[in-house]
Amino acid sequence: MERAANISLAAWPSALVTNRARVSPRIFAAMLVGSAAFSVALASWLPLQVSIATVFLFAGPHNWFELRYFLMRLPARFGRSRNFFAVAFAGIFFLTAAYLAMPALYYLNLWSGANWPDAIATWNTLLLLWLGALVVLRGKQNSRRDWFWALPVVFMLCALNWLAPQLFSLAIVYAHPLVALWFLERHLRRTRPQWLRTYHRCLILLPLLVVGMIWQLSRTSSLADDNGLFWRITQHAGADLLPRVSSHMLVSLHVFLEMLHYGVWIIALPLIGATGAVWKVRTIPLARRRGGFPGLIAAVLVFGLFVVALLWFGFSVNYPAMRDVYFAVAIAHVLAEAPFLLRMI
């Protein structure tokens, strides 16, 4: 009933299998380490400029690759996963709408800014409860699993969230880019299990790089945020919430993590064939099966390309405003990652 959950390697296009065979674990590891080191150097040297450039170039394309990946992982028939996906899609829609409504209501003067921490804490609580529900529903799909332990963890996180909701939201901002590394690990586990040890060894480098950045940049002066765009970037990295911490370090660290995130979705996963041949709609189960929707899937992907082009145009016309719009709307793809990651566990 859920063939897409366990697509065999033979189901991938032969051309992709050939391309992936040319990439050895050592070459893959060298690419990972080299990309991480290069990202650290750029993010530490020119954090504001690199932040502007990476969002301009890669924000839209990486969302398109995520969309195609999620379509690849969407089952042709929901079967026992019907309730799971119903809760997942309902949560994505409701939480995205609520997230966009909060600043809109504030700017319309429909509620006071003094209530902003309570609004953030409420949204974070709904997010955690939704994630807990997804974990429990996913656990019920396998009789050998007992994932009800997730509920006490969720309730504990809810309590921590109410103690410092804005810091909790900032933690999500920094944790989200790392989810891409988990997607890569799960896909390697399914299709390249012999690469896992090499990949895990490469991951050991990540905390070392992060600690090195913190140690080196924590003593630097804060970045100048004397214009609206630079102020937005530093605030997004948490400069206002952590005034005693160098904004240079905060922005560099956030930019580094975002570059890893973009690299996984745009380079690493397509390189190992995780997204299928991007130009072949028939590699997507919903389009391939009898009675599928190849026309609809193709239209969705083409529309996604149109949105990417529209983002580039918007960034060119008014980068600060389009950046604000993007990071508000992009919450939808952040939420969508949760159910699809759970489906791979």
Side-chain angles (χ1 to χ4, degrees), residues 6-75:
N6 295 291
I7 298 176
S8 65
L9 189 59
W12 300 98
S14 58
L16 284 173
V17 175
T18 302
N19 289 336
R20 289 184 304 177
R22 296 173 184 171
V23 182
S24 68
R26 290 185 178 180
I27 294 177
F28 187 67
M31 292 177 64
L32 290 177
V33 174
S35 299
F38 181 69
S39 299
V40 165
L42 277 182
S44 301
W45 180 35
L46 298 169
L48 292 172
Q49 294 82 348
V50 174
S51 175
I52 295 170
T54 53
V55 171
F56 179 90
L57 293 173
F58 306 127
H62 106 275
N63 277 286
W64 188 88
F65 277 99
E66 280 198 52
L67 172 64
R68 201 188 193 290
Y69 184 84
F70 293 157
L71 290 174
M72 286 288 300
R73 306 306 305 175
L74 198 63

Side-chain angles (χ1 to χ4, degrees), residues 231-265:
W231 181 83
R232 284 175 170 86
I233 296 173
T234 57
Q235 297 308 298
H236 187 64
D240 185 48
L241 296 176
L242 302 170
R244 297 184 179 181
V245 179
S246 170
S247 63
H248 190 146
M249 186 270 286
L250 292 173
V251 174
S252 294
L253 180 58
H254 183 254
V255 171
F256 167 61
L257 295 176
E258 285 292 332
M259 291 176 74
L260 290 183
H261 182 78
Y262 294 153
V264 169
W265 285 110

Side-chain angles (χ1 to χ4, degrees), residues 291-303:
F293 311 98
L296 177 61
I297 298 299
V300 169
L301 293 175
V302 171
F303 178 74

Side-chain angles (χ1 to χ4, degrees), residues 191-204:
T191 61
R192 285 288 191 275
Q194 67 275 18
W195 287 19
L196 275 178
R197 178 175 296 182
T198 301
Y199 178 66
H200 290 160
R201 288 175 177 173
C202 292
L203 287 181
I204 297 175

Side-chain angles (χ1 to χ4, degrees), residues 73-328:
R73 306 306 305 175
L74 198 63
R77 296 181 179 87
F78 289 144
R80 293 171 54 199
S81 297
R82 191 181 308 276
N83 292 337
F84 175 84
F85 279 106
V87 172
F89 293 141
I92 293 171
F93 175 80
F94 176 78
L95 289 170
T96 299
Y99 187 85
L100 296 176
M102 287 193 296
L105 293 175
Y106 172 74
Y107 286 119
L108 292 174
N109 293 321
L110 296 180
W111 59 285
S112 171
N115 299 323
W116 187 254
D118 292 339
I120 294 176
T122 301
W123 190 89
N124 289 340
T125 300
L126 294 175
L127 169 66
L128 291 169
L129 293 175
W130 174 67
L131 291 174
L134 289 178
V135 171
V136 171
L137 289 173
R138 179 58 177 159
K140 286 184 176 180
Q141 293 176 359
N142 190 328
S143 58
R144 294 174 295 177
R145 292 174 178 158
D146 183 9
W147 285 1
F148 279 95
W149 55 263
L151 295 180
V153 174
V154 166
F155 295 145
M156 180 186 68
L157 291 175
C158 287
L160 293 175
N161 158 59
W162 280 93
L163 292 175
Q166 291 174 304
L167 288 177
F168 192 88
S169 296
L170 183 63
I172 294 176
V173 169
Y174 279 90
H176 162 249
L178 299 175
V179 174
L181 300 175
W182 200 352
F183 270 102
L184 181 56
E185 194 273 346
R186 298 309 301 180
H187 196 83
L188 288 175
R189 187 176 295 275
R190 285 171 175 260
T191 61
R192 285 288 191 275
Q194 67 275 18
W195 287 19
L196 275 178
R197 178 175 296 182
T198 301
Y199 178 66
H200 290 160
R201 288 175 177 173
C202 292
L203 287 181
I204 297 175
L205 181 64
L206 179 59
L208 298 178
L209 290 174
V210 169
V211 171
M213 290 183 70
I214 294 174
W215 177 76
Q216 184 67 27
L217 299 176
S218 60
R219 297 168 292 177
T220 58
S221 301
S222 291
L223 298 169
D225 55 0
D226 49 357
N227 66 57
L229 177 55
F230 288 178
W231 181 83
R232 284 175 170 86
I233 296 173
T234 57
Q235 297 308 298
H236 187 64
D240 185 48
L241 296 176
L242 302 170
R244 297 184 179 181
V245 179
S246 170
S247 63
H248 190 146
M249 186 270 286
L250 292 173
V251 174
S252 294
L253 180 58
H254 183 254
V255 171
F256 167 61
L257 295 176
E258 285 292 332
M259 291 176 74
L260 290 183
H261 182 78
Y262 294 153
V264 169
W265 285 110
I266 298 176
I267 300 175
L269 284 171
L271 183 67
I272 61 175
T275 56
V278 295
W279 60 90
K280 292 184 179 179
V281 176
R282 290 287 181 178
T283 59
I284 298 175
L286 283 175
R288 186 175 62 244
R289 73 176 178 87
R290 181 178 299 179
F293 311 98
L296 177 61
I297 298 299
V300 169
L301 293 175
V302 171
F303 178 74
L305 292 175
F306 171 76
V307 173
V308 172
L310 189 63
L311 272 175
W312 281 333
F313 175 77
F315 283 137
S316 301
V317 174
N318 190 333
Y319 184 92
M322 182 54 67
R323 184 185 176 98
D324 290 344
V325 172
Y326 169 75
F327 278 111

